[in-house]
Amino acid sequence: LGVAPEKTIKLTVNDAMRGALTQAMGGGALPVAGEILAGMTAGACQVVVTNPLEVIKVGLQTDPLRRPGLQLLRDEIGLAGLYRGAPACMLRDASFSAILFPCYAHAKEALAAAGHAGPAGLALAGVLSAAP
């Protein structure tokens, strides 16, 4: 449940980008470069939305006597501080998503062609794509 918002963002943005890129290219199959761009965009959007939450969460976990949420933000972190560490997270999440989403799409297609289109095939495609 804790990772649901970030996964929702990532999946939604990836699907929206794939659709927009496919439409911009006149339909048909999306080239691998388009799949990579969609994945990178999804990872980047996730960082923009979730990094502030992570900064506050880590601050409260490392010092439980700190002031709660909004007071911590106002007095200690500041708005710019919400994106402390974001460049490193951006590199990590954008590059991971650039690999994950195209691998998943191609693994899903290959497994479906081999007769494994059901839930087990989807789960296997997920495991295979997340392994790199």
Side-chain angles (χ1 to χ4, degrees):
L1 186 62
V3 298
E6 75 181 50
K7 299 307 176 198
T8 301
I9 293 164
K10 198 182 285 193
L11 291 167
T12 302
V13 171
N14 182 66
D15 283 350
M17 279 297 295
R18 287 178 67 93
L21 290 169
T22 300
Q23 186 177 14
M25 297 178 145
L30 185 62
V32 173
E35 293 177 343
I36 290 170
L37 179 60
M40 288 179 72
T41 304
C45 286
Q46 174 204 328
V47 171
V48 168
V49 173
T50 61
N51 202 79
L53 302 172
E54 291 295 318
V55 167
I56 292 174
K57 179 182 83 170
V58 169
L60 292 171
Q61 287 174 336
T62 56
D63 186 2
L65 300 177
R66 279 183 148 167
R67 294 177 222 158
L70 291 176
Q71 288 178 337
L72 174 67
L73 173 62
R74 183 189 69 220
D75 298 341
E76 295 181 35
I77 297 174
L79 290 177
L82 289 175
Y83 288 95
R84 188 175 334 135
C89 291
M90 187 77 68
L91 287 171
R92 178 196 64 206
D93 291 343
S95 60
F96 175 76
S97 296
I99 296 167
L100 174 74
F101 285 112
C103 285
Y104 177 71
H106 290 273
K108 189 170 67 170
E109 287 176 16
L111 288 167
H116 303 288
L122 294 175
L124 181 57
V127 168
L128 292 172
S129 61

